[in-house]
Amino acid sequence: MSIRHGLLALLERGPRYGSQLRTEFESRTGSTWPLNVGQVYTTLSRLERDGMVAQGGEDEAGHTLYVITQAGRTELKSWFRTPVDRASPPRDELAIKLAMAVGAPGVDIREVIQSQRRHTIKAMQDYTRLKAQALEAVPKDRDEVAWLLVLEQLIFQTEAEARWLDHCESRLIRLSMAPLHEATPVREATGEPTDDPPDATPGEASGEVLGRAPVHEAHPPGGR
C-alpha cells in the first residue's frame, strides 16, 4: 500500500494537516488500511525531504498545513499512469502457510484449507453486506464512491481466494489418488524407490507425503 502516494493525492485537493489527512485517507478507504498519526507525519517528513510537499503555514487552530509541490504533482501523475508492478508480488501469508503445510509432520492440510475457507466465506459475506448497505443510498461524494470500489475489490479478492482453496483441495485429493510409482521418491544415488510398507496402498503412501488423511477419508472438493 502506498501511503506516500495516497497522501499526495489528498494534498492535491488542497492544504491539509496530519490528522486531517489520516481521517480523509481512512474515509476514502473505509478504514480498510487504518493509519496512525505517527505514520502520517513520518511520511510527510520524507515527502518534505524529497521536495514533494512543503509546509504552508497554519490554520486557525494552529495546525501546520502541508501543500503539494510541483515535484509532488509530477510524482503523483507518474503513479497514476504507471501500472502496479506484479513482477515481485507481495508475500501472501495464506499461500506460504499452505506451501509449508504440505508434508509437514502432524499437519492435516485438509483441515487447514477448510478452516481458512470458512473464514474467507464469512469475510466475503460481511463485505457483501457492507456493499448492500452502501448501495441503499446513492453515493453523494467521492469518498463514498471510493469506499464502494474498495469494497468491491475485497469481494472479488475473497471470491478468488475461495475458488483457489477449492482448487488446492481438489489437487491434493487427486495427488493422493495417484499411482504409487508416481508419488514415490527415489534415491538420488541408486535411482531405486525408497522403502514403503509392503501393504501400503497408493492413497495411504501419498497421504503420508501430503501430511493428510488417507483418501477414503477426504471430503469432496468444496466441502464445508
Side-chain angles (χ1 to χ4, degrees):
M1 178 184 61
S2 180
I3 299 173
R4 174 187 180 93
H5 293 100
L7 297 184
L8 286 175
L10 293 172
L11 288 172
E12 178 75 349
R13 300 169 62 179
R16 301 283 193 278
Y17 55 87
S19 58
Q20 185 179 17
L21 286 166
R22 182 193 65 175
T23 299
E24 292 189 16
F25 185 96
E26 294 185 351
S27 175
R28 188 72 68 91
T29 61
S31 298
T32 304
W33 302 284
L35 298 178
N36 60 55
V37 173
Q39 283 179 289
V40 172
Y41 279 108
T42 297
T43 305
L44 286 172
S45 294
R46 291 172 180 167
L47 288 169
E48 186 176 12
R49 177 199 63 194
D50 296 339
M52 296 184 187
V53 304
Q55 295 187 23
E58 298 181 348
D59 65 4
E60 295 178 355
H63 299 116
T64 300
L65 297 173
Y66 290 83
V67 296
I68 190 170
T69 64
Q70 186 56 47
R73 290 189 176 92
T74 301
E75 173 69 16
L76 183 61
K77 289 178 181 178
S78 175
W79 182 59
F80 282 132
R81 287 196 306 263
T82 306
V84 175
D85 185 14
R86 299 299 184 191
S88 300
R91 293 183 181 88
D92 185 287
E93 183 179 355
L94 177 56
I96 294 172
K97 179 188 290 188
L98 292 190
M100 296 299 125
V102 173
V107 176
D108 184 349
I109 190 170
R110 180 186 60 201
E111 177 54 35
V112 174
I113 291 172
Q114 291 177 345
S115 175
Q116 182 63 44
R117 184 191 288 115
R118 288 190 292 269
H119 176 82
T120 299
I121 290 176
K122 182 181 183 303
M124 184 166 53
Q125 292 169 342
D126 291 342
Y127 294 145
T128 302
R129 183 169 58 253
L130 287 172
K131 178 183 175 181
Q133 294 172 357
L135 289 174
E136 286 180 357
V138 178
K140 300 178 179 63
D141 56 39
R142 285 179 290 187
D143 286 353
E144 292 179 359
V145 173
W147 168 224
L148 187 57
L149 294 178
V150 171
L151 264 178
E152 290 171 335
Q153 190 270 346
L154 293 171
I155 291 170
F156 290 141
Q157 190 176 59
T158 50
E159 286 176 344
E161 183 171 285
R163 290 196 302 271
W164 177 66
L165 289 168
D166 288 344
H167 166 78
C168 290
E169 188 172 46
S170 297
R171 179 171 294 282
L172 292 172
I173 289 175
R174 288 196 301 272
L175 287 174
S176 71
M177 297 174 67
L180 182 61
H181 65 84
E182 293 182 7
T184 303
V186 295
R187 294 193 183 95
E188 183 176 351
T190 64
E192 298 176 357
T194 56
D195 294 331
D196 283 318
D199 56 347
T201 65
E204 291 169 338
S206 58
E208 293 169 359
V209 171
L210 295 171
R212 60 191 300 277
V215 64
H216 63 270
E217 296 181 2
H219 295 307
R224 303 292 191 268

